Amino acid sequence: MVQSPPSPAVIPFDQRLDRPLDKLPISVLQINLGRRCNLACTHCHVEAGPNRTEELSPAVTEQLIELMRRFPQITTVDLTGGAPEMNYGFRPLVEAARGLGKTVMVRSNLTIFFVPGFEDLPEYFARHQVQVVASLPCYLEDNVDKQRGAGVYTDSIRALQRLNQLGYGRDPALRLDLVYNPPVPRSAEFSLTPSQGTLQADYDEYLRSQFGITFNRLYTITNLPIGRVKQYLHSKDLYWPYLRFLADHHNPATVPNLMCRNQLSVDYEGILYDCDFNQMEAVPCPSPSGQPLTVADLLAANSLDLITTVQTRPFCYGCTAGAGSSCGGALT
């Protein structure tokens, strides 16, 4: 697809800041295990799906386990995908990280529990006290199925009920968080992501009263103009209007809490990025020579501090608009 040049109406993100976006000490290791998934959601920035084959190799998996072992400052291991559970290395990474006493989060689409060969995942998660971060882009059936496919809502509800039966959302050691994604913009009448606190109360009341479901926290995440959202926006000539909308609602108060500052994002080839969004837009962390940094480089240097400045692009405005957005929800 031929894309138009950057709009002069959108100030480059790095120019909007009063100083470079410095990297902080790394505490979160986010691993994108691959792009294989049982779903192909309209809002997926990874463009994952059943026909994708990219995934971790045994060599990169072993490097990641060594990274976790060598650097105790990594306290959280965040596993994503695709459906991370479907890609090579998932269980070895879970078990290695938990054996080292680290918090493990899995970003699950829930419907994976009903795919042959993965039916034991709820019990596996509970046994290893894996924090489940579950995608549920709305508490209403019609909205979910429009974004994720027919029948996804029903399966998601069944999956949440199973997790509750195992203690998730009730036992303090078994954390269950949900993720809200707004619908992909269909016209130039854009809106910011709703208040996280207010929306959480709505989710809680509806899911509890209708299905007896309890959870710990809701994360609200803005649709960034990358991946399938970017493709759709370009097809409707909405890409630059949407980007300008996000830039116009830039909130400086979100910047200190941006997730890219204290995390490393790693792809299935072992290449390093500041966040999963940069990963999908092929914006790696550069070495002094300009080559992409890798997990192997960190191990060779015996340091997590090779990255000093976050790489930014215009889509970063999606993380700073309004109350902000991150893999952990709102920032203010």
Side-chain angles (χ1 to χ4, degrees):
M1 176 187 297
V2 177
Q3 298 179 4
S4 58
S7 168
V10 179
I11 300 172
F13 187 81
D14 58 349
Q15 294 181 21
R16 195 71 175 265
L17 306 181
D18 57 4
R19 61 178 181 269
L21 192 56
D22 296 332
K23 204 77 170 174
L24 300 174
I26 300 300
S27 59
V28 178
L29 177 65
Q30 186 176 72
I31 305 168
N32 191 306
L33 283 80
R35 307 210 180 175
R36 182 181 293 113
C37 187
N38 59 306
L39 301 177
C41 302
T42 60
H43 63 275
C44 182
H45 68 279
V46 181
E47 301 180 61
N51 296 323
R52 302 298 294 261
T53 59
E54 306 95 320
E55 64 180 354
L56 284 177
S57 66
V60 172
T61 301
E62 289 304 314
Q63 290 174 356
L64 289 165
I65 292 172
E66 174 61 18
L67 197 74
M68 292 188 284
R69 185 196 66 78
R70 196 179 298 186
F71 297 104
Q73 74 187 70
I74 297 173
T75 58
T76 299
V77 177
D78 184 347
L79 303 177
T80 185
E85 306 97 324
M86 295 185 76
N87 291 276
Y88 180 85
F90 176 73
R91 298 195 187 210
L93 289 169
V94 167
E95 291 161 30
R98 292 299 297 139
L100 292 165
K102 302 183 189 298
T103 296
V104 175
M105 304 166 61
V106 57
R107 297 186 181 270
S108 181
N109 66 33
L110 297 174
T111 65
I112 188 66
F113 297 174
F114 307 108
V115 174
F118 298 96
E119 297 95 337
D120 70 324
L121 280 173
E123 290 77 13
Y124 180 82
F125 290 164
R127 185 164 65 252
H128 293 283
Q129 296 184 338
V130 174
Q131 178 179 339
V132 178
V133 182
S135 180
L136 190 70
C138 185
Y139 54 83
L140 300 175
E141 181 173 8
D142 185 56
N143 291 348
V144 171
D145 285 359
K146 282 180 179 177
Q147 286 195 49
R148 312 193 68 199
V152 168
Y153 182 83
T154 298
D155 283 348
S156 297
I157 293 299
R158 290 170 56 207
L160 290 172
Q161 290 171 328
R162 178 63 185 138
L163 290 171
N164 277 175
Q165 290 168 1
L166 293 169
Y168 272 94
R170 295 168 178 149
D171 183 335
L174 299 176
R175 186 174 180 91
L176 173 61
D177 296 326
L178 304 181
V179 176
Y180 163 86
N181 281 94
V184 177
R186 303 291 178 181
S187 71
E189 295 181 1
F190 307 121
S191 61
L192 294 173
T193 301
S195 162
Q196 184 166 282
T198 300
L199 195 58
Q200 176 168 324
D202 293 341
Y203 266 71
D204 181 71
E205 192 282 328
Y206 188 85
L207 294 177
R208 189 186 298 268
S209 65
Q210 297 297 313
F211 306 108
I213 290 170
T214 61
F215 63 96
N216 294 101
R217 186 181 172 197
L218 178 73
Y219 299 158
T220 54
I221 297 182
T222 299
N223 284 324
L224 267 67
I226 60 177
R228 291 195 180 117
V229 173
K230 179 180 179 180
Q231 293 172 12
Y232 178 83
L233 292 172
H234 272 299
S235 74
K236 302 297 183 181
D237 293 327
L238 292 173
Y239 176 79
W240 288 110
Y242 183 58
L243 194 58
R244 283 193 295 272
F245 171 82
L246 296 174
D248 288 344
H249 289 84
H250 171 69
N251 180 1
T254 64
V255 175
N257 299 319
L258 287 171
M259 63 182 179
C260 54
R261 304 191 69 192
N262 71 329
Q263 86 168 17
L264 288 176
S265 173
V266 185
D267 73 5
Y268 60 90
E269 295 181 306
I271 298 172
L272 303 179
Y273 305 81
D274 293 306
C275 67
D276 199 51
F277 303 132
N278 275 7
Q279 184 179 144
M280 295 310 122
E281 286 290 288
V283 185
C285 299
S287 68
S289 66
Q291 296 300 308
L293 283 171
T294 66
V295 175
D297 293 329
L298 298 180
L299 293 173
N302 197 32
S303 173
L304 290 182
D305 300 321
L306 302 185
I307 304 163
T308 57
T309 304
V310 173
Q311 303 297 303
T312 63
R313 293 294 187 272
F315 57 78
C316 296
Y317 283 117
C319 292
T320 65
S325 174
S326 74
C327 288
L331 299 176
T332 62

